[in-house]
Each structure stands twice: as C-alpha cells, then as structure tokens.
Amino acid sequence: MLDVGKWPVFALLPPEELRLIRQACVFGSAANEAIYVTVNDEAFALGTNCSGCLGLGDTQSTIESRRIDILCGKKIVSLSYGTGPHLVLATADGEVYAWGHNGYSQLGNGTTNHGLTPALVSTNLINKSVTEVACGSHHTIALTTDGEVYAWGYNNSGQVGSGSTANQPTPRRVSSCLQNKVVVNIACGQLCSMAVLDNGETYGWGYNCNGQLGLGTNANQQTPCRIAALQGINIVQVVCGYAHTLALTDEGFVYSWGANSYGQLGTGNKSNQALPTLINMDKERMVEVAACHTSHTSAAKTQSGQVLMWGQCRGQAVAYPHLTHFTSTDDVFACFATPAVTWHLLSVDGDDYLTVAQSLKREFDSPEISDLKFLVDGKCIHVHKALLKIRCEHFRALLNETDEETIEVHQFSYLVYRAFLEYLYTDTINLPPEDAIGLLDLATYYRESRLKRLCQETIKRGITEVNAVTLLSAAVKYEARELEEFCFKFSVNHLTAVTQTQAFTNMDHDLLKNFISKASRYGAFKN
C-alpha cells in the first residue's frame, strides 16, 4: 500500500480504495489534482481538472475519483507535469502519452489545442523507447534507452535546446554538445532543462537569469552547456526547483546553484549562486536529493535514512538543511512545500515490502505461524504469545503461568474478544458503537486505559437519538465519566426524541431517577 494520507486531495477516498493505490501524483496550482494507479493497473483521477489535465475527456471537476480508461494496464514508469498543467508519462513499453494544457505545443502533437485525454506522442519517437520524462512550466523533455534526449513545447529562453527561441511543436532531439553522448538523468526547472551523462558530467540549457544553469553567468543558453565547475565531480542525480538546481555526487555530496531568495540552496544565506556550491551536510552521506519546479523547497535523504529540508517551508525561509522526523523526502513536499505537490511519481517498491505494523496486521488470526489460540463461542482466534506478552500486562502474567496452546474464554463474546486481540496487533478498533460497549467492558476489566479511550471515542462518534440511553447506561456501568457526560448532554439536547425511544422506557429505575434530577438541574424542563 502506498501511503498518500499526507496529501489532502486523497482525504475523501474510502480506506478500501486507499489500500489499493500503488502509484500516485499530486499536482495543480493548489495541489488539488491527482492521478493514481491501483495494484490492478487501473488509473484514476480526481480534482479540479484545469485544462482537462485529469485526462477524463472533459473539463469537469470531480471530488470523487474517475477511471482513466486509456491508461488502465499501461504500467507507468515515469510521470511529470507542467504549470498549465499538462501531464506527460512514459510506459514500461517505452511509449509516451501527453494531455492537458497545450498553449505552447507542450503535448508534442504539432497543435496548440488542449488535450482532454491521454494521447500517444509519436513524432520522432515512434521507434524510440522512452524511460523518463520531465516537464517545465510549459515544455517537456524525454530520455530514451539509448541515452538520447528529446524536447518540445515552450522555448522562449532556449529550454528546448534547439539553438533558437521558437516554440517546438513536436519532439526534437537535443543534440549539439549532447551528440554522441549518453544521458542517464534529466530534470526541468520552470524554464530550464538539465541532463546528467553516464560519465557524471552535467549539462544545462534554457533560462539562466538566476544562475540556475550553474555556468557562472546569468545568460540564457539555447543549446546544452557543460557545467565546467563540476569538472572531475561525478554527478549521479540532478533535480530542479522553480529556479534552483541540486546535484548529488557519487560520494554522497550535494551541490546547489541558482535562485536563493528562500534559502533553497542551503548555504546559510539568501544570495543567488551562479556556480555550484557544496552544501555542508555535517559529513552525512546523501543518497537522494529532491526538488520540484513548482516550488522553492529542497530536501535530501541520508544513507542512514534521515531526511533534511531547507528553502521555502510553509512560508518560512530555512537557509540551512534542517533535520526532520520524516522517513521520506515525499513527506517534506506533502507537509511543507507550496503548493504541496509530489516532486516525482510516488511508487510502492516492487518487492511488496511491508512495514513492521503491516506485517503484524497481516499475521493476526493466521494459523500458519501462530502458537496460541483462543476459543470463544466455539470459534478460534489465532495469535502469538510473544506479541501478547509485549502488548498487554494481563497476558504477560497469564502466559507466564501456563503452557496451554488453547485458552477458552467465556466472559466475553467472540466479536468483542476478537476486536480486543486485533487491537493488540493494529492499535485500532473497528466496531459499531453498540459493540464497542462490550469492548469498553473488557478494557475496563483488563485495565487497558488506551483501549478504553478508543472505545469511548468510537461510541461518541456513533451516538444517535435511538441508542443514546443505551450508551449512557454503559458509560455509567463502566465508570467512563467523560463518556457519561457526553451521552447525558446529547440526551438532554435531543430530549423529546430520546424520551420516546424503547431504551428510555426500559431504563433502570435508579439511572432514570438520576437522569431526571440532573436534567432538571441542567434546565432541560424549563419552558
């Protein structure tokens, strides 16, 4: 499962759908558009659909996800987006599809008509296999398996690398200094393009007024130029922000250059740099750098898994790399970039890696490697002694005194006891409020204070006029004072409807007496 929970655009998707997401991209001027792919290779989109960028065949916004039929089964390997926005992707078969805004021919189809559905980009690419795509604000570049770069779209600053400033309506090979050279990595700023060769050399072209090409000047370049200042330094990855560039070396060092008004170069000041500058990372070896052409935010990941961020972070200018608690550079952009878009295509590892929490959840009630089972209402629940001892003091004491492989439970129902054991594996409960009452009883009996709080929250969320008295009775019985007060106030605020329920009619005499007395003091019976 891909964790997309930090991106608000996915907030309304049901949990069962979120669990199926394998790839995702969040984009748009307010991070309000998204495309995602499920484990079944089905593609979906949701959001505002500016310029038809969702690829759904229309320009209607959608708060619920809709299927992109033409992309289903395509196996996406690279996806990028522009400011329009326009979107471009490469498939595992080496094909390129583009759609969305096309005012500058950034879709590569020879026209300036917007594309409402993904269309194959074929001109000059028909016999080529593309492995990576990158978009600037309104231009696109693509990398082939042969190490060739093709570019098309907006070219006011030379970002297409054609030697002119005329827009390029269809894919054209970027040659000049890249002729007979093998490119292994590409990136785009808003109006510039970058390429890394297999020998570690780095080239840049396009807009350069902030020094984002790293050439030591501020002059635009209409063809690729080698960054001479990196001579002898082997670059393995380059990324571009709005107007700045980050480069990672094979030794784990990070260089930066370009615009720096938000501290995005990580140099400790806000002065632009036209030449690559080594960032002080306190001797930590970096394995990844991250930036996005829509923002002034920078991030990097260390060999030990720590994530640092700097630049524009939710409006603040952070001039030095700042250590975060995140485990992924993606989290930096989800939580601190403006807009909070993805800096690359989010993907789950192909090896089906599971976290510790996910692994434990999968093994709950699985007989394959369990060493203990509970028999409740004639049904078995399979668990692991070690985990129960770690998670619950009751079981630590119980299992230290017995070697039994089967334990019968008569005090609680199967539904309640299974929910309790599942909680020990997942830290969550999934019960309707009426059943959560039984779990509240168990939590009280076993002195599981956190579980007791979770039960109370579940009950609060599920209270209605019909069950309010039942829940109030349970709160009194299990001495859940906060819940009791909540249920009482709800009952008083809906007094007419509550007093007409069967549960109110059957209420315990003493509880009814206390309820009427307290409600009277609360002013419930005043005209």
Side-chain angles (χ1 to χ4, degrees):
M1 184 180 78
L2 183 66
D3 181 10
V4 295
K6 292 184 175 66
W7 277 274
V9 70
F10 292 110
L12 291 182
L13 287 187
E16 59 271 18
E17 195 163 341
L18 289 173
R19 284 195 288 269
L20 296 176
I21 296 178
R22 183 173 59 85
Q23 293 176 305
C25 177
V26 178
F27 55 99
S29 59
N32 49 3
E33 288 154 326
I35 286 175
Y36 65 91
V37 180
T38 69
V39 292
N40 303 316
D41 275 323
E42 292 185 303
F44 295 87
L46 71 160
T48 52
N49 204 13
C50 183
S51 302
C53 64
L54 297 185
L56 298 168
D58 56 46
T59 56
Q60 297 298 312
S61 65
T62 174
I63 201 167
E64 295 181 338
S65 59
R66 290 170 57 191
R67 180 182 160 112
I68 312 174
D69 291 326
I70 195 170
L71 295 183
C72 293
K74 289 296 182 185
K75 297 191 182 302
I76 300 168
V77 295
S78 179
L79 188 151
S80 189
Y81 55 86
T83 305
H86 74 288
L87 282 90
V88 184
L89 64 80
T91 70
D93 293 330
E95 294 179 328
V96 176
Y97 288 81
W99 66 99
H101 192 279
N102 196 35
Y104 303 92
S105 298
Q106 59 264 49
L107 300 187
N109 59 15
T111 76
T112 54
N113 301 322
H114 297 336
L116 299 183
T117 57
L120 185 67
V121 183
S122 56
T123 304
N124 296 328
L125 295 178
I126 202 68
N127 295 315
K128 299 293 180 180
S129 180
V130 172
T131 59
E132 185 180 0
V133 291
C135 296
S137 61
H138 300 289
H139 77 287
T140 307
I141 63 177
L143 175 64
T144 72
T145 52
D146 299 325
E148 298 173 345
V149 176
Y150 287 78
W152 58 94
Y154 195 36
N155 195 35
N156 69 326
S157 303
Q159 57 265 45
V160 167
S162 61
S164 76
T165 55
N167 292 347
Q168 178 63 38
T170 55
R172 175 192 180 278
R173 187 180 172 192
V174 182
S175 51
S176 183
C177 292
L178 295 184
Q179 189 75 35
N180 300 321
K181 291 182 169 64
V182 177
V183 176
V184 295
N185 176 223
I186 55 174
C188 289
Q190 278 279 295
L191 298 168
C192 71
S193 304
M194 304 294 298
V196 178
L197 304 190
D198 59 349
N199 63 4
E201 291 181 347
T202 304
Y203 287 73
W205 61 98
Y207 189 76
N208 193 36
C209 289
N210 300 107
Q212 54 261 60
L213 299 186
L215 304 174
T217 72
N218 294 104
N220 295 348
Q221 299 295 325
Q222 296 175 11
T223 56
C225 294
R226 183 174 64 87
I227 302 179
L230 292 175
Q231 176 71 34
I233 298 171
N234 191 26
I235 301 300
V236 295
Q237 184 201 2
V238 66
V239 292
C240 297
Y242 187 93
H244 76 287
T245 308
L246 303 176
L248 176 67
T249 77
D250 61 348
E251 295 181 298
F253 297 112
V254 178
Y255 287 83
S256 63
W257 58 91
N260 197 29
S261 56
Y262 296 94
Q264 59 263 49
L265 300 186
T267 56
N269 59 53
K270 296 183 182 179
S271 301
N272 292 359
Q273 298 291 331
L275 288 170
T277 302
L278 181 64
I279 302 178
N280 180 8
M281 295 290 193
D282 290 331
K283 299 180 180 180
E284 281 275 7
R285 185 186 182 102
M286 299 295 140
V287 295
E288 181 182 72
V289 286
C292 180
H293 72 82
T294 60
S295 72
H296 310 284
T297 306
S298 301
K301 189 173 185 177
T302 72
Q303 191 173 35
S304 61
Q306 294 180 311
V307 173
L308 301 104
M309 70 178 188
W310 62 98
Q312 188 181 33
C313 300
R314 278 198 172 272
Q316 294 190 59
V318 180
Y320 283 109
H322 179 80
L323 182 63
T324 72
H325 65 275
F326 297 133
T327 56
S328 167
T329 53
D330 299 321
D331 294 344
V332 171
F333 288 84
C335 300
F336 284 94
T338 305
V341 295
T342 51
W343 71 272
H344 65 163
L345 178 64
L346 301 178
S347 297
V348 171
D349 291 338
D351 59 1
D352 295 325
Y353 170 79
L354 293 177
T355 64
V356 172
Q358 289 168 337
S359 298
L360 291 176
K361 182 177 182 179
R362 188 173 68 170
E363 292 304 322
F364 170 66
D365 202 14
S366 173
E368 187 177 351
I369 60 170
S370 68
D371 56 2
L372 176 66
K373 62 183 177 182
F374 287 92
L375 192 61
V376 189
D377 296 340
K379 301 176 184 177
C380 289
I381 309 169
H382 299 270
V383 291
H384 305 79
K385 291 179 181 178
L387 186 139
L388 265 54
K389 287 182 181 180
I390 292 170
R391 296 280 286 142
C392 177
E393 285 297 326
H394 167 77
F395 287 128
R396 184 187 292 263
L398 174 67
L399 296 177
N400 281 337
E401 297 174 357
T402 181
D403 292 325
E404 295 289 333
E405 294 184 358
T406 302
I407 299 176
E408 290 191 42
V409 174
H410 303 286
Q411 188 173 351
F412 302 101
S413 70
Y414 170 80
L415 186 68
V416 166
Y417 213 75
R418 192 181 191 282
F420 169 51
L421 294 173
E422 187 174 13
Y423 158 76
L424 297 179
Y425 279 74
T426 65
D427 259 337
T428 59
I429 60 173
N430 185 24
L431 284 174
E434 289 81 2
D435 292 321
I437 293 173
L439 192 56
L440 177 62
D441 179 22
L442 183 150
T444 304
Y445 181 77
Y446 285 160
R447 298 181 180 177
E448 287 286 332
S449 56
R450 184 177 182 277
L451 178 58
K452 190 172 180 178
R453 287 197 302 273
L454 283 177
C455 290
Q456 292 182 55
E457 290 303 315
T458 298
I459 293 169
K460 285 180 182 179
R461 288 194 297 268
I463 194 170
T464 66
E465 294 167 347
V466 174
N467 66 16
V469 171
T470 302
L471 300 182
L472 174 63
S473 301
V476 172
K477 179 179 179 181
Y478 302 123
E479 299 180 349
R481 303 300 182 198
E482 183 183 339
L483 177 62
E484 178 185 345
E485 189 64 19
F486 178 87
C487 293
F488 168 75
K489 287 182 178 178
F490 181 93
S491 299
V492 169
N493 290 336
H494 300 265
L495 191 60
T496 301
V498 168
T499 55
Q500 293 174 357
T501 64
Q502 189 63 42
F504 187 84
T505 303
N506 297 335
M507 188 187 291
D508 175 80
H509 176 76
D510 290 336
L511 180 60
L512 176 61
K513 182 179 177 182
N514 289 336
F515 176 83
I516 293 174
S517 175
K518 187 175 180 180
S520 178
R521 294 195 303 272
Y522 195 76
F525 304 117
K526 291 181 180 179
N527 292 327

